[in-house]
Amino acid sequence: FVDNLQAYIERKLFTVNTGHAATSYLGNQKNYKTIAEAISHKELEEKVLRVLEETGKVLVEKYNFDQEEHNQYIDKIIGRFSNAHIVDDVKRVGRSPLRKLGRKDRLVAPALEYIELFKTIPSNLVDVMAAAASFYSEEDQESVQLKQLITEKGISKAFSEVSSLEEQHELVKALVSVYNK
């Protein structure tokens, strides 16, 4: 039992789910096949850790989690991702990018809270959102729809629509800048 269930639900979403998605989208960019393979590469693991530092900063500030305990939770999650006995396909984990780029889901929600709390852009989360916007698997209808939306409307209008943010929002502009690199 915990005093604030919402805090722990959000911690799971912003740590496990965000970390899993980050590993998938960044791993997909490097053509890794499994989550364990992707996270085993030091550079990618360090990037995922920086993403989780950003989401962790939000959680610690918002819910007063103990920083050291939260760092141990992150390490535990990275350990799960690293387990070579769990064959978790990068393309499977990356499915549903439209939902995952939604305003209240694992990528945009913590980024918006980060901006609100710290008055700056969470650059690592933005990198993952740009990777999510680039994700494509012909077996995943959402990624097919997202690619079509970007092709038809451009990345700025497409991400604005998917995230329910104004096109002039600083997070939209940041994502567009990274996506276009």
Side-chain angles (χ1 to χ4, degrees):
F1 293 101
V2 294
D3 292 336
N4 184 348
L5 183 59
Q6 182 59 34
Y8 288 88
I9 291 170
E10 201 162 285
R11 182 173 85 160
K12 191 259 185 197
L13 178 67
F14 289 3
T15 309
V16 178
N17 297 41
T18 302
H20 211 209
T23 304
S24 172
Y25 293 131
L26 296 170
N28 184 65
Q29 286 185 320
K30 302 281 188 185
N31 296 314
Y32 297 131
K33 300 298 179 212
T34 68
I35 294 297
E37 176 189 11
I39 205 74
S40 74
H41 292 270
K42 196 68 177 160
E43 181 181 306
L44 195 141
E45 178 188 15
E46 288 172 2
K47 182 68 169 182
V48 172
L49 284 169
R50 288 192 303 270
V51 168
L52 295 180
E53 284 173 15
E54 289 173 345
T55 61
K57 194 173 174 183
V58 169
L59 293 165
V60 167
E61 179 71 21
K62 186 175 175 181
Y63 295 113
N64 202 30
F65 283 119
D66 177 85
Q67 184 68 59
E68 186 53 40
E69 284 179 22
H70 188 69
N71 290 344
Q72 290 172 4
Y73 183 65
I74 289 171
D75 290 343
K76 178 180 170 183
I77 299 311
I78 295 296
R80 282 189 204 162
F81 297 164
S82 302
N83 186 339
H85 298 293
I86 300 172
V87 180
D88 210 354
D89 187 73
V90 163
K91 293 282 190 192
R92 185 202 67 78
V93 175
R95 286 189 306 216
S96 305
L98 291 174
R99 177 176 52 83
K100 292 175 184 168
L101 287 169
R103 186 181 190 124
K104 296 185 184 214
D105 212 286
R106 66 204 70 201
L107 302 174
V108 176
L112 291 172
E113 290 194 40
Y114 190 96
I115 292 167
E116 183 180 321
L117 289 168
F118 307 111
K119 310 301 182 221
T120 188
I121 298 289
S123 61
N124 295 291
L125 268 167
V126 171
D127 290 345
V128 171
M129 288 186 281
S134 299
F135 177 79
Y136 179 77
S137 170
E138 55 188 38
E139 288 107 38
D140 176 47
Q141 188 56 40
E142 279 196 23
S143 74
V144 172
Q145 289 174 304
L146 180 56
K147 182 177 181 178
Q148 183 178 356
L149 189 63
I150 293 169
T151 300
E152 291 173 1
K153 297 185 176 186
I155 184 60
S156 183
K157 281 184 179 25
F159 181 61
S160 174
E161 186 176 311
V162 169
S163 66
S164 302
L165 296 171
E166 295 293 326
E167 203 172 340
Q168 295 307 310
H169 192 283
E170 60 190 315
L171 188 58
V172 175
K173 289 180 179 181
L175 176 127
V176 169
S177 176
V178 171
Y179 182 89
N180 285 331
K181 283 185 183 176

